[in-house]
Amino acid sequence: MAEKLEKSTVFQCQQCGDCCVGRGGIFVKPGEVEAMAALLELHVAEFRRRFIEDSALGHRLTVADGVCVFLMPGNLCRVHPVKPFICRQWPFFPALLVDPDELEHAKGACPGLNPDCAHEDFVEAALNHARKQNVS
Ligand code: SF4
Ligand code: SF4
């Protein structure tokens, strides 16, 4: 019954914090800066000054001492309710959805991924997750 596969079947974050070190950059999309600034009750300009840096690939969250500036003790996210799409999208990244080898590689890096999850089940769970996002 693959159509009933839930995200939790293939992925449950263990809050190890490893993906919050910001490898490759924690990029932000339009609107996300405003949402995070509102959550922290900061003016957008102040938020940008303190937490956003520019790069050739776009705007991204600042990394301080080797981790995202919003990673808190206990590996909790300070902006969790409105964290950037790139953080909310994991583990359903395009590379993992199209390439079974990429999924296997990711299993070795992220302890939240079910090591026994087949690629087709992973894709089905991603589709169901996307459908839920679209109706909510
Ligand atoms: S690496 Fe995986 S288990 Fe660890 S915090 Fe990131 S998503 Fe969660
Ligand atoms: S915004 Fe939150 S989830 Fe995203 S990298 Fe920073 S601490 Fe991790």
Side-chain angles (χ1 to χ4, degrees), residues 66-126:
V67 296
C68 172
V69 70
F70 291 135
L71 189 64
M72 300 192 300
N75 293 328
L76 300 176
C77 174
R78 190 177 172 196
V79 293
H80 178 72
V82 292
K83 62 187 178 184
F85 177 75
I86 193 171
C87 304
R88 287 181 280 120
Q89 190 184 29
W90 180 260
F92 300 135
F93 279 16
L96 278 62
L97 291 170
V98 300
D99 188 343
D101 290 340
E102 285 290 332
L103 175 60
E104 291 306 309
H105 180 73
K107 287 178 182 176
C110 171
L113 279 165
N114 180 348
D116 299 322
C117 168
H119 188 256
E120 62 185 23
D121 291 342
F122 178 76
V123 172
E124 191 61 40

Side-chain angles (χ1 to χ4, degrees), residues 11 13 26-27 32-33 37 49 73 80 112 114 131:
F11 171 74
C13 180
I26 309 155
F27 290 94
E32 293 177 344
V33 167
R49 188 183 66 77
H80 178 72
N114 180 348
R131 289 186 193 110

